[in-house]
Amino acid sequence: MKRNIILFFVIIISFVLQTTLFQVLNFGGISPNLLIIITASYGFMFDKKCGMVVGFICGLLMDIFYGNVLGFYALIYLYIGAANGTFHSIFFQDDIKLPLVLIATSDFVYSFVCYVLLYLLRSRFDFVFYLRRVIFPEIVYTIFVTVFLYPCILLLNRTVEDTEREDHKVV
Amino acid sequence: MSPVVKRKREKFSIPSKYLLLILTCICVALMAVTFFADYSASPLNKLVGYVVVPFQNGVSRIGTWISVRIDELGELRVVLEENQDLKRQIADLTVQNTQLQQDKYELSNLRELYKLDEQYSGYEKVGARIIAKDGGNWFHTFTIDKGTDDGLSIDMNVIAGGGLVGRIVDIGPNWAKVNAVINDDSNVSSMVLASSDTFMVTGSLQLMEEGVIGFEQLTDPQNKVAVGDKVVTSNISDKYLPSILIGYISEINQDSNNITKSGKLTPAVDFKHLEEVLVILKTKQQVGD
């Protein structure tokens, strides 16, 4: 229960930061995708189900505020969360390489799907431009933020796990 | 370790593949409902309005305060230098001013012709602050801190600094989503003042980088339209009020069909440094009534 409440606040806080603080801290109009970091890391840290739920909520928030149709971003984030969940079995907390690779891949997949569905279908064919201008900078910035954010998520989870274990001991 | 595992087993839980299926179905259903039924998720809008918007409001308020302080410090030195320059300019400008007085007489005549002035100031407006921007990098939409509680509604036009910013496309009790005219999926029916020809102003991510908006489908066989001409919203648009300034033409090219022209225009609004906007409290439909 406690874990769910914390998770809820983590999602809200990252959404708020992504839409306010990181919009101000943009580089050349590009801001990082915190929701992908959260979705992917909860996916491979816990399991498929957790990733799916987190992704669904993150996507739904994006949909309500910035989407044209409800459920579009939710679907993308949902599958990214689920896909990251399959890597749970080869995830080790101390290894930061796997998270970085997974988050970068997730962000690329997300951006690529966005490009295909939101731009290519409206006959914007210059993929190389969008790759250079939006997709690649976003991945780099997201990875940069991940390096600092990921240890925080890890630390948060460890403390939550520790307190939960202590609670059980008392009971 | 063991009590934790046990507790989990006792709880009823859905296998992950079924959960994936259920959530996918929910998403698809939601998309279908919002796409076909044009249902604008008002209960959800209300809910997130109370959960997320207060946070965004607070964070952006703190952020603005800090950035204003930093700007003040940085600007002090610049301002001193500027002051000297400006004094020199004053001398030049007084000379120019006399010339412009004559031009102004001409301008007021032209204004009367287009009735620009009255239409603008006649609308009731309300100020709003931008509190958040689109989380992704693909579109240029933003959230303002006023909503239905302040009398706003969907399709109201948003202006800033005398130019068109966009229109409200989604709304909650205390927030509203504004779609900017430079957005890639935005099309505005507009009119060039020089010849009163109507054409489409189309936002584009590729042109956004240069700080311009594209326009197309301009028919101008007599080559009346020139660089620097004023572009305003047209009277045939069903979403935008007529005669709101969009920008100035910066480039015109003949299309390969030799009939229409396309090009670029510089928006009147500085979209990069937008903080406060004005919302016109009338939609096009209401004006018509």
Side-chain angles (χ1 to χ4, degrees):
Chain A
M1 193 60 209
K2 196 195 264 171
R3 178 178 291 184
N4 290 345
I5 293 168
I6 290 171
L7 186 56
F8 178 72
F9 275 101
V10 167
I11 294 172
I12 296 283
I13 289 167
S14 23
F15 180 73
V16 168
L17 287 183
Q18 183 176 338
T19 53
T20 53
L21 179 72
F22 283 101
Q23 294 297 322
V24 181
L25 295 177
N26 63 36
F27 281 116
I30 295 297
S31 44
N33 199 335
L34 296 194
L35 294 180
I36 280 285
I37 302 179
I38 299 289
T39 305
S41 32
Y42 273 93
F44 56 69
M45 269 170 161
F46 293 97
D47 56 355
K48 243 182 179 171
K49 227 183 281 176
C50 188
M52 281 186 308
V53 172
V54 173
F56 183 70
I57 297 171
C58 287
L60 207 59
L61 271 177
M62 279 290 285
D63 274 323
I64 293 168
F65 276 102
Y66 302 108
N68 290 330
V69 277
L70 215 58
F72 173 76
Y73 287 116
L75 199 62
I76 302 176
Y77 279 100
L78 169 68
Y79 276 94
I80 285 173
N84 276 291
T86 56
F87 292 93
H88 178 58
S89 49
I90 55 164
F91 166 73
F92 297 101
Q93 289 202 337
D94 302 321
D95 181 26
I96 198 169
K97 286 192 296 293
L98 179 76
L100 284 183
V101 170
L102 281 181
I103 289 170
T105 320
S106 306
D107 197 26
F108 177 76
V109 170
Y110 165 80
S111 305
F112 186 72
V113 171
C114 278
Y115 164 73
V116 171
L117 294 180
L118 297 174
Y119 274 72
L120 190 68
L121 290 182
R122 293 188 296 118
S123 66
R124 304 281 201 268
F125 294 116
D126 194 357
F127 178 64
V128 177
F129 168 82
Y130 294 107
L131 186 71
R132 252 199 3 242
R133 178 70 185 78
V134 179
I135 299 177
F136 193 60
E138 188 186 304
I139 294 173
V140 171
Y141 199 178
T142 305
I143 287 302
F144 178 73
V145 172
T146 307
V147 171
F148 298 98
L149 189 70
Y150 179 70
C152 300
I153 301 173
L154 213 56
L155 190 72
L156 182 75
N157 283 331
R158 271 188 196 149
T159 41
V160 171
E161 264 167 22
D162 285 350
T163 50
E164 269 183 357
R165 215 166 281 160
E166 269 168 33
D167 285 353
H168 286 306
K169 263 181 198 164
V170 174
V171 173
Chain B
M1 197 59 199
S2 59
V4 182
V5 177
K6 253 186 194 169
R7 259 171 64 94
K8 270 193 180 166
R9 263 185 207 157
E10 282 161 16
K11 264 204 260 173
F12 169 74
S13 67
I14 326 161
S16 61
K17 54 183 171 185
Y18 291 122
L19 188 67
L20 185 68
L21 192 71
I22 293 166
L23 287 177
T24 308
C25 289
I26 292 175
C27 286
V28 173
L30 279 174
M31 273 195 269
V33 166
T34 43
F35 193 73
F36 292 113
D38 210 25
Y39 162 78
S40 71
S42 43
L44 271 177
N45 282 2
K46 241 177 224 170
L47 182 73
V48 294
Y50 293 121
V51 178
V52 178
V53 172
F55 285 106
Q56 287 182 330
N57 231 325
V59 172
S60 77
R61 210 163 281 229
I62 296 165
T64 322
W65 187 82
I66 292 171
S67 73
V68 166
R69 291 292 98 77
I70 291 169
D71 282 354
E72 274 176 2
L73 283 175
E75 266 170 27
L76 199 64
R77 208 187 314 138
V78 185
V79 165
L80 281 171
E81 280 172 24
E82 249 179 25
N83 193 25
Q84 288 197 323
D85 275 354
L86 287 175
K87 270 180 187 157
R88 233 173 289 138
Q89 274 187 23
I90 285 175
D92 290 344
L93 286 175
T94 29
V95 182
Q96 275 187 21
N97 197 20
T98 35
Q99 284 183 338
L100 287 174
Q101 294 261 318
Q102 289 182 325
D103 289 351
K104 199 192 158 195
Y105 176 71
E106 204 183 320
L107 180 73
S108 62
N109 280 345
L110 286 171
R111 274 241 177 95
E112 222 168 275
L113 225 60
Y114 282 111
K115 297 255 188 310
L116 249 185
D117 221 19
E118 293 143 54
Q119 280 186 339
Y120 253 73
S121 50
Y123 301 133
E124 207 183 322
K125 288 175 286 245
V126 64
R129 248 160 29 84
I130 295 175
I131 52 169
K133 284 180 183 156
D134 191 343
N137 293 315
W138 292 100
F139 293 106
H140 202 283
T141 48
F142 51 84
T143 318
I144 55 174
D145 65 344
K146 294 225 164 104
T148 43
D149 290 352
D150 306 277
L152 305 194
S153 74
I154 285 179
D155 279 349
M156 278 180 177
N157 292 181
V158 179
I159 59 172
L164 181 70
V165 172
R167 70 184 170 91
I168 295 177
V169 288
D170 200 1
I171 199 159
N174 52 355
W175 61 276
K177 182 176 111 181
V178 178
N179 195 2
V181 286
I182 55 168
N183 210 345
D184 206 281
D185 60 355
S186 146
N187 288 301
V188 188
S189 167
S190 23
M191 183 173 81
V192 61
L193 278 186
S195 64
S196 300
D197 283 322
T198 53
F199 55 96
M200 294 303 284
V201 169
T202 333
S204 153
L205 186 70
Q206 272 179 304
L207 295 177
M208 208 191 283
E209 200 178 12
E210 301 168 37
V212 293
I213 332 176
F215 71 83
E216 52 196 28
Q217 293 166 19
L218 168 70
T219 32
D220 174 35
Q222 272 111 41
N223 290 323
K224 267 195 211 163
V225 181
V227 169
D229 280 350
K230 228 179 198 180
V231 175
V232 297
T233 47
S234 84
N235 44 356
I236 55 168
S237 165
D238 62 342
K239 301 277 188 201
Y240 292 96
L241 298 163
S243 302
I244 299 176
L245 178 67
I246 300 175
Y248 303 90
I249 289 180
S250 62
E251 198 184 312
I252 312 175
N253 300 312
Q254 186 86 39
D255 282 341
S256 50
N257 59 15
N258 260 335
I259 301 168
T260 57
K261 289 180 177 181
S262 60
K264 295 167 188 171
L265 58 97
T266 313
V269 181
D270 181 6
F271 283 96
K272 269 206 176 128
H273 306 103
L274 212 54
E275 271 170 17
E276 263 146 10
V277 292
L278 291 171
V279 183
I280 298 176
L281 289 174
K282 260 211 160 109
T283 57
K284 182 79 181 251
Q285 276 80 6
Q286 289 170 327
V287 171
D289 291 341

